[in-house]
Amino acid sequence: MKGARLWAITGSAGLAVSVMAASPALAKPGPSRVALPGSAAPMKARSHPDGSVSGHSVVSFDLTLALRNAVGARSFLRQVSSPGSAAFHHYLSDSQWVSRFGPAKGEVAKATSWLRSQGFTVGSVASDRLFVSASGSAAAVEHAFGVQLGYYKVNGHRERLANGTLSVPASLTGSVAGVVGVNQDMATTDLSQQSRAVAGSAAQEPPPPAGFRNARPCSAYWGQKSDTSDSGKLYKPYTHPQPYDICGYKPAQMRGAYGLTKAVASGNDGSGVSVAIVDAYDSPTLLADAQEYFKLNNPAHPLMSSQFTNIAPSKVQNTDVCGGSGWYPEQALDVESVHTMAPGAHIIFVGAKDCFDNNLLAAVNTAVTSGASAVSDSWGDENGDTLTDAATRNAFDNTFLMAGATGVSVLYSSGDDGDNFADFGLTDANYPSSSPYITSVGGTTLEIGAGNTASAQYGWSTAKQTLCASTTTNCGSATKPASTLAWQAGGGGGTSYTYTEPYYQDGVVPSALALRNENVTGAPMRVEPDIAMDADAQSGLLIGLTQTFPDGTYYDQFKEGGTSLASPLLAGVIADTDQKAGTALGFANPALYKAYSANPAAYSDIQAPANPDSAATIRVDYTNSVDASSGYLISLRAINYAGPETFCDTTGNCATRNVTLTATKGFDSLTGLGAPSAKFVGMLSKY
């Protein structure tokens, strides 16, 4: 309990001291074996044991192979993605990259032979030879890698971890870089939570998720309807009346707000560009749902079957622990968001076997080598900047190096839990969004007026105050709210403990942010997010998908947000940019930061509202999520919230401090460079 309170009070500094001081030393495996650096799960991840692993249980993993020239791969990425470089946008083909930097065929053969000698079943080899998939018993894993396996509680999840550093025979020195999957990392998206999941077999595609509908009143555009029924005393000091939140923006509104209406109408709509989306699992109604959605909400831009490619997983597993059907809303949001912003683009959906990192790595690798120009990922490891082992991060980063070198933009949502303090009691970024080799996409609250133009845009940081539970859509004569105002959700971000400040952030990111962890790292570090788009659920996109309701299973619609919305929105914008430029933007960050300095009009600078007490909205929800039979919940949602947030551990031991991610003039910790303006596509396409 004392440790939990210390972490909560000291925030990032407390976390870093705990993590760094407890980092496990490399094991001494003996003269005939070599340790795999970075393969040990951090001590913090192993601080809550939760049972033993049966020797007969099956473990699936990826044996990752070392790059032929890792330094050269990083150097080439910088050259090919930096405006002004002689190599700028002179991308390699996949095969050229593998020939220059990837593992040789002989290394694959050596690793495969060893795996089979240990009794493992060898699966697929990545087309770029970065890893070999394998599976076998837990007992075989313990013997082969010289460790013991156990279960641990990590961020509320039960995950299997090794008790130390993995090792391999010395004959594999220089061939094997690490292992992904022996240490489990469960990637999450807020849309995949168990509350939306419907029970099914863990080894079959899950049924549609539990149904959800948005209650009325709500607004078709920002400010259309206001709460004049409730007393202004009910939500003081916020001004009265406050507007009702959005029923769900439609595609034309999103394109209008980001200045894409005329361009899309003239044919600059992502045509000729492919965008890949990576999620866990594969909804069997994904395409049909998206087609119905655009038929109802944007019939001028239907999603044609010829515009959609589905790369389904060979099998699915762990749907019970991954909240399987809860991934279906994520899939619908991703596909419908990309097509909203780039209705001419081809969409490639890649479904992973489950939500664990080894299978998501395989899916990302497939997406990167699929021919897509942009890959959107709306998931990540909570607190992964320090809790995900270094070998796993290295495996993902190698795939990102290849992506950028071959002209693929990789985007990751920054998360929906701010700096993670309120949920976990520590300040730490998610991974892969903290990687310097991808574009991290944060969130805003986007207010779109009656004319499909943005009337305001703030940083997404929401606090919630329940006003009442009522049988009607207002609180009647009540003047006292049912709860106090408390932070609820917001765009993720933070300063990395793992990655030093990348060259493209030098001179742009304020020193106060880059050096936030200086007392631990001793150097300026990577700060994310890089850029932001609409993410607040109160200003979210209307989406449609098949759901499980009390009266049956059928298609319906509701609004959704999160940085799970922001990432695919940006992927669509990048598709438009690629089409206009006639070439892929590739690894986008160097150009994004260059444009920020040279052409600041490419961005909308996101700042706090002049009067914070005016920035809020009223939301009405069904108590039972689907209809009015159980009444309503009425709440106020504060916008661009920068006040206190509280973490409480399982014993009720709590600590409070102010939100650390805020929107300010210039680059900030909540929205990065800002949001794309109406000039973004035109200016970025010139690089």
Side-chain angles (χ1 to χ4, degrees):
M1 302 315 109
K2 183 178 180 180
R5 178 176 290 276
L6 177 63
W7 277 31
I9 291 174
T10 57
S12 58
L15 167 65
V17 170
S18 299
V19 170
M20 299 299 180
S23 294
L26 291 179
K28 296 181 179 179
S32 63
R33 296 179 68 84
V34 293
L36 295 176
S39 62
M43 287 294 293
K44 175 56 186 172
R46 293 185 279 134
S47 60
H48 299 290
D50 194 40
S52 59
V53 175
S54 167
H56 298 290
S57 62
V58 177
V59 177
S60 298
F61 61 91
D62 295 332
L63 189 70
T64 62
L65 305 182
L67 294 184
R68 193 173 313 182
N69 181 0
V71 173
R74 290 190 290 270
S75 175
F76 182 80
L77 177 64
R78 177 168 181 169
Q79 295 171 43
V80 79
S81 57
S82 296
S85 165
F88 184 52
H89 284 179
H90 291 285
Y91 301 118
L92 300 176
S93 67
D94 290 357
S95 60
Q96 287 172 333
W97 188 88
V98 173
S99 295
R100 287 181 61 172
F101 305 116
K105 290 182 179 179
E107 305 303 321
V108 175
K110 186 188 301 185
T112 300
S113 175
W114 176 74
L115 287 168
R116 290 195 173 114
S117 75
Q118 299 302 301
F120 294 118
T121 298
V122 176
S124 60
V125 177
S127 62
D128 49 25
R129 304 200 288 265
L130 290 179
F131 58 86
V132 180
S133 296
S135 63
S137 69
V141 168
E142 291 178 326
H143 177 266
F145 294 107
V147 292
Q148 290 183 325
L149 303 178
Y151 287 112
Y152 300 83
K153 282 289 187 182
V154 184
N155 292 335
H157 308 298
R158 192 175 194 240
E159 297 180 353
R160 180 191 64 239
L161 302 173
N163 69 338
T165 300
L166 281 64
S167 64
V168 294
S171 60
L172 295 177
T173 300
S175 299
V176 175
V179 183
V180 180
V182 168
N183 293 326
Q184 286 182 323
D185 288 294
M186 182 186 293
T188 62
T189 168
D190 279 3
L191 304 191
S192 67
Q193 298 306 303
Q194 297 284 354
S195 60
R196 291 299 311 279
V198 174
S201 169
Q204 294 180 352
E205 281 288 0
F212 181 85
R213 295 189 181 102
N214 296 116
R216 268 57 177 171
C218 55
S219 297
Y221 57 85
W222 198 270
Q224 180 198 27
K225 299 178 182 179
S226 294
D227 177 20
T228 57
S229 300
D230 290 308
S231 168
K233 296 179 181 179
L234 188 60
Y235 45 77
K236 268 189 160 185
Y238 287 91
T239 55
H240 181 270
Q242 285 292 335
Y244 284 110
D245 70 337
I246 295 301
C247 301
Y249 290 134
K250 296 184 178 181
Q253 292 174 288
M254 281 293 187
R255 289 195 295 270
Y258 288 105
L260 298 176
T261 301
K262 290 182 179 180
V264 167
S266 66
N268 189 184
D269 58 2
S271 293
V273 179
S274 292
V275 176
I277 294 164
V278 176
D279 283 311
Y281 309 117
D282 181 20
S283 168
T285 62
L286 180 58
L287 174 59
D289 287 342
Q291 290 178 323
E292 179 68 11
Y293 173 81
F294 287 101
K295 177 182 177 181
L296 294 174
N297 301 294
N298 194 199
H301 295 98
L303 176 61
M304 309 300 292
S305 297
S306 59
Q307 289 180 270
F308 186 82
T309 298
N310 185 283
I311 303 178
S314 58
K315 65 176 182 177
V316 298
Q317 56 196 23
N318 296 315
T319 64
D320 48 351
V321 297
C322 291
S325 60
W327 283 82
Y328 289 0
E330 178 65 66
Q331 297 170 21
L333 177 64
D334 290 344
V335 170
E336 291 161 17
S337 298
V338 169
H339 190 70
T340 285
M341 306 306 276
H346 187 92
I347 295 175
I348 303 171
F349 179 80
V350 184
K353 293 178 182 179
D354 59 26
C355 67
F356 289 99
D357 273 0
N358 60 309
N359 289 315
L360 284 164
L361 172 63
V364 171
N365 197 273
T366 296
V368 164
T369 56
S370 69
S373 293
V375 178
S376 178
D377 306 270
S378 293
W379 46 267
D381 297 347
E382 296 165 327
N383 302 307
D385 187 66
T386 55
L387 294 188
T388 297
D389 67 67
T392 296
R393 293 196 306 270
N394 184 65
F396 274 92
D397 287 348
N398 284 348
T399 295
F400 303 151
L401 288 175
M402 178 181 178
T406 56
V408 182
S409 305
V410 180
L411 317 179
Y412 272 86
S413 58
S414 66
D416 298 350
D417 301 302
D419 65 7
N420 286 319
F421 174 84
D423 286 340
F424 306 112
L426 55 102
T427 300
D428 190 20
N430 295 345
Y431 182 85
S433 63
S434 67
S435 171
Y437 305 117
I438 59 90
T439 299
S440 175
V441 191
T444 68
T445 299
L446 177 63
E447 300 181 2
I448 304 177
N452 290 358
T453 57
S455 57
Q457 193 167 191
Y458 302 113
W460 177 40
S461 180
T462 299
K464 176 182 177 181
Q465 181 175 37
T466 300
L467 302 179
C468 67
S470 175
T471 58
T472 63
T473 58
N474 62 74
C475 298
S477 60
T479 58
K480 184 176 181 180
S483 75
T484 57
L485 186 69
W487 187 88
Q488 182 197 32
T495 302
S496 174
Y497 289 99
T498 301
Y499 297 101
T500 56
E501 182 178 60
Y503 62 93
Y504 53 80
Q505 289 195 326
D506 184 26
V508 176
V509 174
S511 296
L513 296 178
L515 294 171
R516 178 170 278 178
N517 302 329
E518 183 182 19
N519 60 324
V520 174
T521 63
M525 307 297 283
R526 155 77 160 144
V527 178
E528 55 109 6
D530 298 299
I531 193 170
M533 292 192 76
D534 186 32
D536 190 342
Q538 280 57 246
S539 64
L541 181 72
L542 186 73
I543 69 168
L545 70 154
T546 299
Q547 303 169 68
T548 303
F549 292 95
D551 60 344
T553 300
Y554 48 85
Y555 174 93
D556 207 342
Q557 303 185 146
F558 62 95
K559 75 168 179 290
E560 193 55 81
T563 54
S564 290
L565 167 62
S567 180
L569 286 178
L570 183 63
V573 174
I574 287 179
D576 299 334
T577 305
D578 287 354
Q579 180 194 0
K580 187 172 181 63
T583 187
L585 185 59
F587 176 45
N589 287 8
L592 293 179
Y593 282 80
K594 177 71 172 180
Y596 179 82
S597 300
N599 303 288
Y603 298 90
S604 297
D605 189 19
I606 309 302
Q607 301 183 36
N611 178 12
D613 292 341
S614 68
T617 187
I618 304 300
R619 176 166 170 159
V620 179
D621 287 294
Y622 293 125
T623 300
N624 63 11
S625 299
V626 294
D627 59 37
S629 62
S630 300
Y632 302 87
L633 295 173
I634 295 93
S635 61
L636 176 138
R637 308 297 174 98
I639 294 171
N640 205 95
Y641 178 76
E645 60 177 343
T646 298
F647 166 73
C648 294
D649 64 20
T650 56
T651 69
N653 184 18
C654 300
T656 299
R657 57 131 209 231
N658 281 344
V659 168
T660 63
L661 305 184
T662 56
T664 59
K665 185 176 181 179
F667 185 101
D668 61 59
S669 58
L670 185 56
T671 65
L673 299 168
S677 74
K679 298 181 179 180
F680 181 88
V681 170
M683 290 184 173
L684 266 293
S685 66
K686 295 177 182 178
Y687 284 100

